[in-house]
Amino acid sequence: MNDCLPVTLPPLPGEVLSSWISRHADYYGVTPLNMLRHCLPEITTLRALDLTLSNDSTSRIAEMFSISSKAVRDMSFAMSPKVAHRFIAKQPVHYCLNCHSKVTESAFLRSELQGWRITCPICGRFYPEQLPNDYSSTFAPYHDAALRGEKLLNDHAEHGLETWLPPLEIARLMLMRRIPKPFPSGGDLWQYRLLGAIIPNLDIFITKQKSFPYSPKNPILPLQVRPALLAGIAIVEQSGPAMLKMLQGHMLEENRNRFVMATDHLIAPIFDWGQPQQLQLI
């Protein structure tokens, strides 16, 4: 194979870098890593390329595929803050029925890996999901707040925009465990998350689940629960640091210590200067 490929496939709108490279590998009948080793012999995974694309790697890929360096970088998540990487799935976690049908079967889009989304960035439609019968009464009241939260996370992850506390950090804090009040007489405490102190309906929903394997280290929630997290982010961001002080009271021991270490620098100043304003939960 020459330094430059004889045929280069154009990137699809919104396509992720690893998908684009994999389509070329299919076209030439080789594995993606074997193809890339002609220009990046040190490469070990396509995911690493999506997340941590260096300037040198960008230039070498651009030369091999006869495409601009900007086009290569725009397909990756290299410009996203590191905290966003945990919200980027290894495989697509949702599809837009309207837009996905317009790409080839083997391709996938950047937005399909972004675990903070509930709407398609291309057409604006909500991603389809299997909704439980009680969804409307559980999360529908937080619809507008969820859309605000999605925008906050997307602005942070895609454009580096932050508010008084980075929205992606708020998301991780919301998935920390909490001690419910009043203390439940039965049941497992694994189901109680800090988010439930802001979105009380979340507790009702999670108690019906057999497991909830989501945490600050694994923050990509199923679509049917994701609006609650996004709404919680919007509510905390709008309420300001005083909300964090209230949330401290829902935690104990080591979990509380970790929360305090992450947020006390924001809480202390507002109490040094007087009483915080009334918190608005919705």
Side-chain angles (χ1 to χ4, degrees), residues 20-69:
W20 182 67
I21 291 173
S22 294
R23 287 199 296 119
H24 281 88
D26 289 342
Y27 180 85
Y28 286 102
V30 297
T31 67
L33 290 183
N34 281 341
M35 167 171 281
L36 281 175
R37 288 193 178 112
H38 286 269
C39 65
L40 298 173
E42 70 279 7
I43 190 67
T44 57
T45 67
L46 289 181
R47 181 169 175 81
L49 206 60
D50 280 338
L51 298 179
T52 58
L53 185 68
S54 67
N55 290 335
D56 180 60
S57 296
T58 300
S59 298
R60 285 193 273 171
I61 291 173
E63 181 178 358
M64 176 177 171
F65 289 89
S66 301
I67 194 173
S68 72
S69 294

Side-chain angles (χ1 to χ4, degrees), residues 235-269:
I235 291 169
V236 171
E237 192 278 332
Q238 186 176 36
S239 299
M243 173 71 81
L244 301 179
K245 186 65 175 179
M246 180 276 287
L247 293 173
Q248 281 186 5
H250 291 270
M251 312 179 79
L252 291 175
E253 299 177 344
E254 192 58 35
N255 235 20
R256 186 178 188 277
N257 292 337
R258 286 195 292 268
F259 185 85
V260 170
M261 289 179 63
T263 62
D264 201 46
H265 66 288
L266 297 166
I267 297 174

Side-chain angles (χ1 to χ4, degrees), residues 48-112:
L49 206 60
D50 280 338
L51 298 179
T52 58
L53 185 68
S54 67
N55 290 335
D56 180 60
S57 296
T58 300
S59 298
R60 285 193 273 171
I61 291 173
E63 181 178 358
M64 176 177 171
F65 289 89
S66 301
I67 194 173
S68 72
S69 294
K70 182 181 185 303
V72 172
R73 184 160 289 272
D74 286 348
M75 285 188 282
S76 78
F77 298 104
M79 301 304 292
S80 298
K82 286 188 177 180
V83 67
H85 290 181
R86 294 189 182 191
F87 292 83
I88 298 171
K90 295 180 180 179
Q91 299 294 330
V93 289
H94 46 243
Y95 295 97
C96 174
L97 296 181
N98 180 55
C99 298
H100 186 76
S101 62
K102 298 176 183 178
V103 305
T104 64
E105 185 175 344
S106 61
F108 53 93
L109 309 180
R110 295 174 78 257
S111 58
E112 293 171 352

Side-chain angles (χ1 to χ4, degrees), residues 109-206:
L109 309 180
R110 295 174 78 257
S111 58
E112 293 171 352
L113 303 180
Q114 295 170 331
W116 61 82
R117 290 195 179 277
I118 54 176
T119 62
C120 174
I122 298 176
C123 70
R125 297 185 183 184
F126 282 89
Y127 290 118
E129 52 187 323
Q130 295 296 321
L131 298 178
N133 294 332
D134 59 352
Y135 177 85
S136 294
S137 60
T138 305
F139 298 135
Y142 304 99
H143 174 85
D144 290 342
L147 290 176
R148 293 200 308 270
E150 180 187 38
K151 186 177 187 306
L152 286 169
L153 284 187
N154 191 67
D155 286 347
H156 185 197
E158 292 285 74
H159 308 295
L161 301 180
E162 298 183 358
T163 58
W164 59 273
L165 181 60
L168 288 164
E169 292 290 354
I170 297 177
R172 296 178 63 187
L173 292 173
M174 292 301 96
L175 291 176
M176 294 179 70
R177 293 189 181 187
R178 83 176 206 278
I179 302 298
K181 298 179 181 180
F183 193 84
S185 57
D188 296 323
L189 292 179
W190 59 260
Q191 59 199 2
Y192 295 99
R193 305 290 165 160
L194 200 55
L195 180 61
I198 301 172
I199 312 290
N201 293 343
L202 181 70
D203 289 344
I204 300 173
F205 183 85
I206 293 181

